[in-house]
Amino acid sequence: MMTRFDLHSHSTASDGTLAPAELVARAARAGVQVLALTDHDTTDGIAEACEAAQRHGLWLVAGVEISVTWKRRTVHIVGLGVDPERPELQAGLQRLREFRQWRAEEIGRRLAKHGIPGAWEGARRLATGAIVGRTHFARFLVENGHAGSVREVFGRFLVKNRPGHVAGRWASLEEAVGWIRAAGGQAVIAHPARYRLTATKLRELIGEFMACGGEALEVVSGSHSRDEVVAMAAKARAFRMLASAGSDYHGPENPWIELGRLPPLPAGCRPVWEGWEQPELREVAVC
Ligand code: AMP
Ligand code: MN
Ligand code: MN
Ligand code: MN
């Protein structure tokens, strides 16, 4: 089923494969009316996406997906309706990109020791935007015959206890939510079911997130099963959080995920977009 909203997507500014304008054109063709561009640790794609959104008559919500280290795990916090010009946000993202740069070189060194030379150069060549991510390494390794698929590369090389793994040193939860709020945005815990947290740990994460001013849980995600959508809807209701929905689209190479192709929010969820057109509740900046 189609929704009008798709509040999580990536472009070539991070690890997506469509340029921001191409992404917006595809979203418009898919019937999306409100799209958030949420690249990893950068807002570089927003200006081009805004310009395209005006041409296609679609609302573009300026967003970002911030990498966070929480209790030695990596979690992702999406910011929706951020003002990309805010210095607190930009300084924070800049720091994360500097870590990314070092991490990419370190992944390259580790893979080289493991007998795979040239991975950093290869990943950097595949990354046309400001960030080099693990996805670029994965694409390089697939291109060079080290694995059959991106998913396989992650399992064999890029996750914990594998030769190319480097532990994250990302933002704290408080920093990420703080930067989003300083930029006038709403903070959302991205794809919460992906972290495989126990009920206790998820409750802790949500508690700390809300104490920092976080508002929403991404109940509907391209990476959630139906059961996970139901389970996360129950969490959103129990903790009185707003609910978001986004495909986490990265490009046409993953045909099982399409822009705007998402189930509806389960009954009883309060959508994060409630009040976006009502200034007395909250007005989201769109273009
Ligand atoms: P990074 O932020 O550079 O560490 O990379 C995280 C990104 O890698 C995620 O946003 C996904 O796009 C991708 N990713 C993570 N795990 C997997 C996996 N198991 N299979 C395919 N892609 C993955
Ligand atoms: Mn990604
Ligand atoms: Mn993510
Ligand atoms: Mn994402």
Side-chain angles (χ1 to χ4, degrees):
M1 157 153 188
M2 306 294 280
T3 56
R4 300 187 320 134
F5 291 84
D6 189 336
L7 301 180
H8 189 153
S9 69
H10 296 273
S11 75
T12 47
S14 66
D15 61 356
T17 57
L18 297 182
E22 293 170 334
L23 179 82
V24 168
R26 189 178 179 105
R29 277 202 304 278
V32 173
Q33 288 162 305
V34 182
L35 175 75
L37 176 62
T38 56
D39 274 308
H40 298 285
D41 306 324
T42 180
T43 57
D44 281 0
I46 301 287
E48 180 184 322
C50 274
E51 203 261 320
Q54 279 160 3
R55 271 188 283 123
H56 290 279
L58 176 143
W59 277 25
L60 194 281
V61 175
V64 65
E65 182 174 19
I66 302 183
S67 309
V68 164
T69 300
W70 181 76
K71 295 191 187 292
R72 297 156 138 234
R73 297 174 170 80
T74 297
V75 299
H76 288 169
I77 302 298
V78 158
L80 296 176
V82 294
D83 174 357
E85 308 290 320
R86 294 297 305 194
E88 298 92 330
L89 176 66
Q90 284 313 328
L93 297 181
Q94 176 64 31
R95 192 185 98 207
L96 299 187
R97 289 196 298 268
E98 281 162 18
F99 170 69
R100 262 183 190 284
Q101 183 110 34
W102 173 84
R103 183 189 71 157
E105 292 168 27
E106 183 62 20
I107 292 174
R109 283 190 286 271
R110 292 189 189 192
L111 289 174
K113 262 191 218 154
H114 188 71
I116 303 174
W120 177 67
E121 292 81 356
R124 207 178 49 162
R125 183 172 44 76
L126 291 173
T128 47
I131 76 137
V132 182
R134 285 186 295 164
T135 313
H136 302 110
F137 280 92
R139 290 184 192 133
F140 170 79
L141 293 187
V142 171
E143 269 184 16
N144 286 271
H146 296 286
S149 70
V150 162
R151 183 169 294 230
E152 190 189 329
V153 177
F154 270 87
R156 281 181 48 202
F157 298 100
L158 300 177
V159 295
K160 215 168 183 171
N161 301 321
R162 297 295 175 183
H165 179 255
V166 179
R169 277 182 239 149
W170 306 112
S172 70
L173 189 58
E174 194 177 3
E175 286 173 325
V177 175
W179 301 336
I180 291 166
R181 283 164 59 85
Q186 284 169 290
V188 185
I189 300 179
H191 41 65
R194 273 248 302 268
Y195 312 126
R196 308 269 161 243
L197 300 173
T198 60
T200 309
K201 276 272 174 295
L202 181 58
R203 191 183 322 122
E204 265 185 79
L205 173 64
I206 290 174
E208 287 184 30
F209 173 74
M210 291 181 80
C212 303
E215 296 176 58
L217 197 62
E218 198 173 67
V219 167
V220 167
S221 161
S223 60
H224 283 173
S225 68
R226 278 180 196 214
D227 287 354
E228 288 169 338
V229 169
V230 171
M232 293 305 131
K235 297 288 176 198
R237 284 192 296 264
F239 293 97
R240 301 184 181 286
M241 300 173 86
L242 297 170
S244 188
S247 61
D248 205 0
Y249 184 81
H250 280 73
E253 295 75 15
N254 304 336
W256 56 92
I257 291 181
E258 186 47 81
L259 285 159
R261 204 170 64 201
L262 292 165
L265 282 178
C269 285
R270 280 172 55 213
V272 69
W273 55 84
E274 167 189 288
W276 278 4
E277 282 179 293
Q278 292 158 264
E280 68 277 14
L281 291 176
R282 167 183 217 107
E283 208 172 359
V284 75
V286 294
C287 63

Short mmCIF file of all heavy atoms in Angstrom, two decimals, residues 8 10 40 65 76 190-191 194-195 248, ligand 3:
data_model
loop_
_atom_site.label_atom_id
_atom_site.label_comp_id
_atom_site.label_asym_id
_atom_site.label_seq_id
_atom_site.Cartn_x
_atom_site.Cartn_y
_atom_site.Cartn_z
N HIS A 8 12.35 8.67 5.33
CA HIS A 8 13.71 8.14 5.53
C HIS A 8 14.24 7.69 4.17
O HIS A 8 13.75 6.71 3.61
CB HIS A 8 13.66 6.98 6.53
CG HIS A 8 15.01 6.49 6.98
ND1 HIS A 8 15.20 5.88 8.20
CD2 HIS A 8 16.23 6.49 6.38
CE1 HIS A 8 16.47 5.54 8.34
NE2 HIS A 8 17.12 5.89 7.24
N HIS A 10 17.97 7.91 1.30
CA HIS A 10 19.40 8.26 1.10
C HIS A 10 19.69 8.59 -0.36
O HIS A 10 19.08 8.02 -1.26
CB HIS A 10 20.29 7.09 1.54
CG HIS A 10 20.18 6.81 3.00
ND1 HIS A 10 20.95 7.46 3.93
CD2 HIS A 10 19.36 5.99 3.70
CE1 HIS A 10 20.61 7.04 5.14
NE2 HIS A 10 19.64 6.15 5.03
N HIS A 40 23.24 9.89 5.82
CA HIS A 40 24.06 9.63 7.00
C HIS A 40 25.02 10.80 7.26
O HIS A 40 25.89 11.09 6.42
CB HIS A 40 24.92 8.38 6.81
CG HIS A 40 24.16 7.10 6.61
ND1 HIS A 40 23.53 6.46 7.64
CD2 HIS A 40 23.95 6.34 5.51
CE1 HIS A 40 22.97 5.34 7.19
NE2 HIS A 40 23.20 5.25 5.89
N GLU A 65 20.37 11.49 9.10
CA GLU A 65 20.41 10.29 9.95
C GLU A 65 21.76 10.28 10.65
O GLU A 65 22.80 10.10 10.02
CB GLU A 65 20.23 9.01 9.11
CG GLU A 65 20.22 7.75 9.97
CD GLU A 65 19.89 6.47 9.19
OE1 GLU A 65 20.01 6.47 7.94
OE2 GLU A 65 19.55 5.47 9.84
N HIS A 76 20.93 4.64 15.14
CA HIS A 76 20.75 5.76 14.22
C HIS A 76 19.58 6.63 14.67
O HIS A 76 18.51 6.12 14.97
CB HIS A 76 20.51 5.25 12.80
CG HIS A 76 21.75 4.68 12.16
ND1 HIS A 76 21.75 3.97 10.99
CD2 HIS A 76 23.06 4.75 12.55
CE1 HIS A 76 22.98 3.63 10.68
NE2 HIS A 76 23.80 4.08 11.61
N ALA A 190 15.62 5.65 14.56
CA ALA A 190 15.46 4.98 13.26
C ALA A 190 15.40 3.46 13.46
O ALA A 190 16.04 2.91 14.36
CB ALA A 190 16.64 5.33 12.35
N HIS A 191 14.63 2.80 12.60
CA HIS A 191 14.49 1.32 12.55
C HIS A 191 14.81 0.63 13.88
O HIS A 191 15.76 -0.16 13.98
CB HIS A 191 15.35 0.74 11.41
CG HIS A 191 16.72 1.36 11.24
ND1 HIS A 191 17.69 1.27 12.20
CD2 HIS A 191 17.26 2.09 10.23
CE1 HIS A 191 18.77 1.90 11.79
NE2 HIS A 191 18.53 2.42 10.60
N ARG A 194 15.81 -3.07 14.36
CA ARG A 194 17.05 -3.59 13.76
C ARG A 194 18.16 -3.83 14.77
O ARG A 194 19.12 -4.53 14.49
CB ARG A 194 17.56 -2.59 12.71
CG ARG A 194 17.01 -2.77 11.34
CD ARG A 194 18.08 -3.24 10.35
NE ARG A 194 19.22 -2.35 10.26
CZ ARG A 194 19.32 -1.35 9.38
NH1 ARG A 194 18.37 -1.14 8.51
NH2 ARG A 194 20.38 -0.58 9.36
N TYR A 195 18.05 -3.22 15.95
CA TYR A 195 19.17 -3.30 16.90
C TYR A 195 19.15 -4.57 17.73
O TYR A 195 20.07 -4.81 18.49
CB TYR A 195 19.18 -2.06 17.81
CG TYR A 195 19.05 -0.76 17.05
CD1 TYR A 195 18.07 0.17 17.37
CD2 TYR A 195 19.90 -0.48 15.98
CE1 TYR A 195 17.94 1.35 16.66
CE2 TYR A 195 19.76 0.70 15.26
CZ TYR A 195 18.78 1.61 15.60
OH TYR A 195 18.64 2.76 14.89
N ASP A 248 13.75 3.91 4.13
CA ASP A 248 15.21 3.75 4.20
C ASP A 248 15.75 3.36 2.81
O ASP A 248 16.66 2.54 2.68
CB ASP A 248 15.61 2.72 5.26
CG ASP A 248 17.01 2.93 5.80
OD1 ASP A 248 17.69 3.89 5.36
OD2 ASP A 248 17.43 2.15 6.66
MN MN B 3 20.12 3.44 9.57
#
